[in-house]
Amino acid sequence: MDLKDLNNTRDFTAQMDPKDVTDNKVMAVLAYLSWLILIPIFLAKESKFARFHVNQAIILVVASFLTSIIAGIVTSILWPLALVFWLISLCFFALMILGIINAAQGKAKELPIFGKFRILK
């Protein structure tokens, strides 16, 4: 896979109601901001657009959390690998920013690597 193809992910924007997208952009952005994910979970549960971004954010949070646990274990034994896990955490941050940009632009585009997974229907 070429690096420039990494962000060539599925785009579901055409399947979204334009009014739903316009009305729930802020909710979709909030999904990527830590505990603020609870706001769109409870206040925009009928929004297909907001739920799409909530799902993307949940996958990202779960993957980041699991990576942090693994990093804690591995770096306590092999501390030089801390740099590797720091770089991985930067990748998670970049994916979060990409999700925020997509949500703010009204796009329902999967995040690279993790976007194809679904927790919410």
Side-chain angles (χ1 to χ4, degrees):
M1 174 184 259
D2 195 359
L3 195 56
K4 63 183 173 185
D5 292 333
L6 189 61
N7 196 31
N8 188 16
T9 58
R10 292 187 296 179
D11 190 340
F12 296 94
T13 308
Q15 298 174 15
M16 302 291 166
D17 176 20
K19 182 169 176 13
D20 178 27
V21 171
T22 303
D23 292 348
N24 290 290
K25 280 184 185 179
V26 171
M27 292 294 180
V29 168
L30 290 177
Y32 294 97
L33 301 176
S34 185
W35 58 271
L36 295 177
I37 193 171
L38 296 173
I39 296 171
I41 286 174
F42 292 113
L43 297 181
K45 54 185 155 194
E46 301 302 319
S47 169
K48 188 175 177 183
F49 181 71
R51 287 188 66 81
F52 175 87
H53 285 286
V54 165
N55 184 77
Q56 296 288 288
I58 287 173
I59 297 293
L60 199 55
V61 166
V62 169
S64 177
F65 179 72
L66 293 175
T67 302
S68 294
I69 291 172
I70 293 167
I73 294 167
V74 170
T75 57
S76 68
I77 299 166
L78 299 167
W79 63 267
L81 291 179
L83 178 63
V84 172
F85 286 106
W86 180 77
L87 292 172
I88 292 171
S89 69
L90 279 180
C91 292
F92 283 120
F93 181 73
L95 290 172
M96 179 191 73
I97 297 298
L98 181 60
I100 290 170
I101 290 169
N102 284 340
Q105 291 178 344
K107 294 180 185 175
K109 192 168 190 243
E110 290 180 342
L111 293 174
I113 303 165
F114 302 105
K116 61 183 160 247
F117 299 105
R118 299 284 180 265
I119 290 179
L120 302 175
K121 295 291 179 187

